[in-house]
Amino acid sequence: MSGLINYVSCGVLWLGLLVKAPDLLRHRHDPYLRTICAVLGLAGLCFFLGAPPTVGAVNRIGDVPNLAAPVTYVAITGYCAASQLLVVHWRGGPRVRRTARRWLFAYAVVVLGIAVTFALGEAPVERRTDLDTYYATTPFIAQMIVLYLVAHLAAVTVTAVSALRWARRVRGGLRAGLTLLGIGSLCGAGYSVAKLVAVGAHWSGRDWSALGTTVSPVAAGLGALLTVVGVLVPLAAPRVTEWRRARRTYARLEPLERALDDLLTRRTLRLPRPRLASPTTRLVWRQTSVHNALSHLDAYFDRELYDRTRAGVLAATGEAERAEAAAWAAVITAAVRDEAEPGRRVPPRDGGTRLLDRVPDPAALGRIADALAGAAPLPAPPVPSGTTTAGTA
């Protein structure tokens, strides 16, 4: 009687709604977004209203035995309508609005039927958990029960079929989300089927009320969890992919930052390391540190060394990007060494020989880090004419 499953399911669904609320405020005129939020909000409301403590409170406040039943059934019907509208917006097409209006009209008729049958029937004994089977043979109340269960079963079945069918035609996070949503809808169908079987058994003189009081809540709770995860996965997948890419790039730039570490420390060029930050923020921090160091080393960059190294690697490999990375790695290493040399004066700036007029982009920084790490062995730059190397005759 505690309603723990109901309240936990409600909390999960409303947590999903809370996650989507900022998007809804920014794009309040997006019908697809509004429908998603309606599905999450109404599904959570169904669980909240269906919890035995809430049932007792509604009956007591309304001063009508079992008033909570039609109130909950109306919320379930609203959820069914929102689910159908979600499917309609998924499918798209030129008749979206017309189809949506038809579904809204159909479920409005169901709501009216629930209200009328409850008003015509008599349910004087309060039943918080087994009203479906207790009043399964009571005139009008039985029709109300069957009406909302059939409407719910139709909605979740259509949602499950549509989601699973669409999942076969897409990939990535959207496919995972649709699959979870489809399975969650099938669990929701298990809720209706268990209740209908229990009601049918009561009609034939059997007592299978446990199906409605134990199996149905579990099926509905699992369906709620899978539904909210299915709705949120496609929204979270791009961000997760971005974070994974940022982590890889952050790790890839480590050799380049390590080569600049002494300079960054001595000249206090590194910003405070962010704590408890996202991978994207940490990547921006490392890229900023690297760019600060490169800007400081601008006057020490040897344009001739850059051109010689690039030409030599390009001739050896035929790969322009690899040659550019090797050239940058060479001049950065030399510049760090020259800048740290005691008593060395800053070379005069010559606008015609500056390298930072073409600052390496993020992709180029990664290739430079690879070259510094020795991930891609590079041939030695050619020796300038007129010089000899050790061991050469």
Side-chain angles (χ1 to χ4, degrees):
M1 296 290 286
S2 65
L4 179 61
I5 292 178
N6 291 70
Y7 291 133
V8 169
S9 301
C10 173
V12 169
L13 287 160
W14 282 353
L15 179 61
L17 178 61
L18 184 64
V19 171
K20 289 303 299 170
D23 292 335
L24 180 62
L25 293 176
R26 287 192 297 266
H27 309 285
R28 60 177 58 91
H29 298 297
D30 184 346
Y32 176 67
L33 189 56
R34 289 203 307 264
T35 305
I36 288 179
C37 292
V39 168
L40 295 174
L42 288 170
L45 181 62
C46 294
F47 282 105
F48 178 77
L49 292 174
T54 307
V55 170
V58 172
N59 293 338
R60 185 171 58 257
I61 294 172
D63 197 25
V64 176
N66 299 307
L67 176 63
V71 172
T72 304
Y73 298 164
V74 167
I76 291 175
T77 304
Y79 163 75
C80 295
S83 299
Q84 294 298 332
L85 292 182
L86 181 61
V87 172
V88 169
H89 287 300
W90 274 349
R91 290 175 175 173
R95 299 182 179 181
V96 170
R97 292 186 178 180
R98 181 184 303 178
T99 305
R101 284 195 297 268
R102 288 177 178 176
W103 279 114
L104 286 174
F105 177 78
Y107 281 98
V109 172
V110 174
V111 169
L112 180 61
I114 291 172
V116 170
T117 51
F118 182 76
L120 294 175
E122 293 184 3
V125 180
E126 183 185 63
R127 310 299 298 186
R128 297 190 181 186
T129 59
D130 63 346
L131 182 140
D132 303 289
T133 51
Y134 188 86
Y135 289 106
T137 56
T138 302
F140 295 110
I141 301 298
Q143 284 74 18
M144 177 188 70
I145 293 168
V146 172
L147 179 62
Y148 100 86
L149 287 175
V150 170
H152 179 264
L153 180 60
V156 293
T157 300
V158 172
T159 302
V161 171
S162 300
L164 294 175
R165 182 180 297 170
W166 190 17
R168 293 185 298 179
R169 300 197 297 267
V170 295
R171 292 291 183 270
L174 181 58
R175 182 174 190 175
L178 287 169
T179 301
L180 289 170
L181 182 59
I183 297 174
S185 297
L186 288 177
C187 291
Y191 165 86
S192 299
V193 170
K195 292 247 183 208
L196 285 170
V197 170
V199 170
H202 193 79
W203 291 343
S204 61
R206 297 181 179 87
D207 182 13
W208 290 1
S209 58
L211 287 174
T213 57
T214 58
V215 176
S216 288
V218 173
L222 180 59
L225 176 62
L226 293 175
T227 296
V228 69
V229 174
V231 169
L232 295 179
V233 161
L235 306 174
R239 182 171 299 179
V240 172
T241 300
E242 178 186 352
W243 285 357
R244 186 183 300 116
R245 186 183 300 115
R247 280 196 297 269
R248 288 199 299 264
T249 306
Y250 178 85
R252 186 183 183 189
L253 291 179
E254 196 273 336
L256 177 54
E257 187 190 11
R258 186 171 62 246
L260 299 169
D261 182 69
D262 178 67
L263 170 66
L264 289 167
T265 303
R266 283 189 295 102
R267 300 298 183 181
T268 320
L269 299 175
R270 183 186 282 116
L271 297 175
R273 182 184 295 272
R275 297 183 181 277
L276 302 178
S278 69
T280 303
T281 301
R282 292 200 301 271
L283 173 60
V284 171
W285 170 80
R286 176 162 279 180
Q287 289 173 332
T288 301
S289 298
V290 169
H291 280 297
N292 288 346
L294 295 183
S295 296
H296 180 80
L297 291 174
D298 183 22
Y300 294 90
F301 286 149
D302 186 340
R303 182 60 179 263
E304 292 184 1
L305 175 61
Y306 177 90
D307 291 337
R308 289 198 312 270
T309 305
R310 185 179 185 281
V313 177
L314 183 62
T317 65
E319 300 177 17
E321 291 183 346
R322 186 180 180 188
E324 184 177 0
W328 271 109
V331 297
I332 288 172
T333 302
V336 169
R337 182 181 62 249
D338 293 343
E339 193 275 342
E341 185 177 333
R344 183 180 178 88
R345 298 178 59 186
V346 178
R349 291 179 177 270
D350 183 350
T353 62
R354 293 181 70 249
L355 281 176
L356 284 187
D357 55 352
R358 41 176 172 172
V359 178
D361 58 30
L365 290 179
R367 292 191 292 271
I368 296 170
D370 292 342
L372 288 168
L378 300 171
V383 179
S385 58
T387 64
T388 61
T389 59
T392 303

